[in-house]
Amino acid sequence: TISVSKFLKEKLEEIQLQNKSYSLRAFSLKLGISPGGLVQILSGKKKLSIDRAHEIAGKLKLSKEEKKLFLLIVEFE
């Protein structure tokens, strides 16, 4: 099963493959979330609202299919 945290961790890893020095802080800035908030989301302690998930999908420039999957995961959780 895929979770919001796993999905976002995979996106972070994809970026880090391109840029080894890309940090969690940089990722949180890209997503418009505080670093602490992102850590809580990645650890499963905080849930995303569907509105926030739409914002994040846009900031990550997800494909139609990825966006659909991401939003379904958020709704399911």
Side-chain angles (χ1 to χ4, degrees), residues 16 18-24 26:
Q16 287 174 329
Q18 306 289 319
N19 178 356
K20 299 286 183 221
S21 64
Y22 195 81
S23 67
L24 191 69

Side-chain angles (χ1 to χ4, degrees), residues 27-77:
F27 192 55
S28 73
L29 287 171
K30 178 184 181 91
L31 300 181
I33 301 173
S34 70
L38 181 57
V39 167
Q40 286 187 312
I41 292 164
L42 294 178
S43 67
K45 293 179 183 165
K46 185 177 180 183
K47 302 290 179 206
L48 284 176
S49 69
I50 199 69
D51 289 340
R52 188 56 158 251
H54 275 280
E55 288 174 25
I56 289 171
K59 290 176 180 181
L60 287 174
K61 296 179 174 68
L62 298 178
S63 69
K64 256 188 194 174
E65 294 78 22
E66 282 182 313
K67 181 177 179 178
K68 201 156 126 182
L69 173 63
F70 181 60
L71 295 176
L72 280 172
I73 296 166
V74 170
E75 284 183 44
F76 182 74
E77 284 188 1

